[in-house]
């Protein structure tokens, strides 16, 4: 049984900006729900934040990753009852220690016409000759 706590308004606004053709993998190698509370939406936003092709040139620096990981933690904490909010920290820690850098900013032209998220190469990337 899956339960859903209200998605914060700021997160709903972000979700509305993500095109429907964007492919995410949920919370990657972690559960998309804990204790019956579904937070796949939070991981969809996190995947969006990690996709090079979804953002303007120069937007994918270290600060962007730190903000994306912190946002994931906050969204997970908002998704869970107070007694399980520590899980947000666990997911944030996983992005730091379990391979988050391998996924962040990895949708350049070298991955082909479509990245793992299903997005084509944006004009700015083609014009810039992104490696």
């Amino acid at each position: 049984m899956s339960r859903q706590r209200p998605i914060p308004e700021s997160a709903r606004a972000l979700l509305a900006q993500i095109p429907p053709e964007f492919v995410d993998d949920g919370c990657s190698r972690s559960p998309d729900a804990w204790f019956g509370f579904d937070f796949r939406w939070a991981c969809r936003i996190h995947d969006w934040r990690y996709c090079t092709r979804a953002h303007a040139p120069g937007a994918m620096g270290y600060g962007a990753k730190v903000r994306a990981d912190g946002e994931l933690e906050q969204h997970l904490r908002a998704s869970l009852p107070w007694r399980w909010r520590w899980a947000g920290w666990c997911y944030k820690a996983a992005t730091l220690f379990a391979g988050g850098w391998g996924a962040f900013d990895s949708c350049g032209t070298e991955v082909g016409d479509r990245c793992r998220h299903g997005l084509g190469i944006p004009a700015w990337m083609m014009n810039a000759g992104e490696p």
Side-chain angles (χ1 to χ4, degrees):
M1 177 177 144
S2 181
R3 296 180 277 188
Q4 182 74 43
R5 292 178 65 96
I7 297 173
E9 182 61 39
S10 60
R12 284 198 308 260
L14 286 169
L15 288 166
Q17 293 175 17
I18 300 173
E21 66 271 13
F22 182 79
V23 177
D24 67 85
D25 66 352
C27 298
S28 301
R29 295 179 297 263
S30 301
D32 294 339
W34 271 28
F35 311 110
F37 290 92
D38 184 2
F39 44 76
R40 184 179 174 100
W41 61 268
C43 295
R44 180 170 174 79
I45 292 171
H46 192 251
D47 282 0
W48 173 255
R49 296 286 197 207
Y50 266 42
C51 181
T52 314
R53 296 181 182 197
H55 304 287
M60 299 300 286
Y62 176 75
K65 182 181 184 319
V66 169
R67 284 187 300 278
D69 296 343
E71 182 181 57
L72 174 65
E73 176 186 11
Q74 292 304 309
H75 286 157
L76 291 176
R77 291 172 60 81
S79 297
L80 295 166
W82 67 269
R83 64 186 171 276
W84 295 317
R85 290 189 178 160
W86 53 267
W89 181 87
C90 293
Y91 277 67
K92 181 180 178 181
T95 65
L96 296 172
F97 304 114
W101 279 109
F104 181 77
D105 194 17
S106 61
C107 293
T109 56
E110 70 279 357
V111 299
D113 289 341
R114 298 241 170 238
C115 70
R116 70 182 181 278
H117 301 113
L119 299 181
I121 300 171
W124 71 262
M125 195 178 278
M126 290 298 290
N127 297 335
E130 177 78 5

